[in-house]
Amino acid sequence: MDIVYKARRIYKNAPRVEVKIMTKQGGLGWLNKNIIAIGEDVADEVLVHVVLHELCHTWFGLEHDENCPLMKPFYNGTELAEKAWERFEKIVLDTLNQL
């Protein structure tokens, strides 16, 4: 939940999001539904990436994008949490600039 709260400080107009814990691996984010599900087996070192990825699905309606390190369909384990935060901030700024 700390990751979601920090993300909301970056994206101040973020809607409330329901966070579910699931037994399935990885994460799920429904486009524009404000619900994310994170697998209980997600390792701490990839948790930031997975949560931010799923928030981008639900808050911004983003689909998978091979050219975006945060929105690739599969996480390869090479992106550090700091880089995921940087990319998330860029997505927020880009989204706000489009309004």
Side-chain angles (χ1 to χ4, degrees):
M1 288 302 295
D2 287 340
I3 298 166
V4 174
Y5 290 132
K6 183 176 178 180
R8 286 180 57 92
R9 285 192 296 273
I10 294 168
Y11 179 41
K12 302 202 183 316
N13 294 329
R16 183 176 161 90
V17 66
E18 183 177 340
V19 179
K20 298 177 181 247
I21 305 301
M22 62 181 184
T23 56
K24 184 177 177 180
Q25 294 181 347
L28 294 170
W30 289 266
L31 298 181
N32 303 311
K33 295 274 188 183
N34 297 332
I35 301 169
I36 64 170
I38 307 299
E40 63 187 2
D41 64 334
V42 173
D44 288 346
E45 60 270 11
V46 299
L47 186 60
V48 168
H49 180 93
V50 172
V51 171
L52 294 179
H53 173 98
E54 302 310 338
L55 287 174
C56 285
H57 282 313
T58 189
W59 283 347
F60 308 115
L62 295 181
E63 296 191 15
H64 290 135
D65 180 353
E66 285 291 337
N67 297 316
C68 176
L70 186 57
M71 293 312 296
K72 288 185 177 187
F74 297 100
Y75 178 69
N76 62 11
T78 60
E79 185 174 304
L80 301 174
E82 296 84 32
K83 293 293 181 185
W85 281 113
E86 288 173 15
R87 190 65 185 159
F88 179 77
E89 287 181 33
K90 182 178 180 340
I91 290 169
V92 170
L93 287 175
D94 289 348
T95 300
L96 294 176
N97 287 333
Q98 291 176 2
L99 297 177

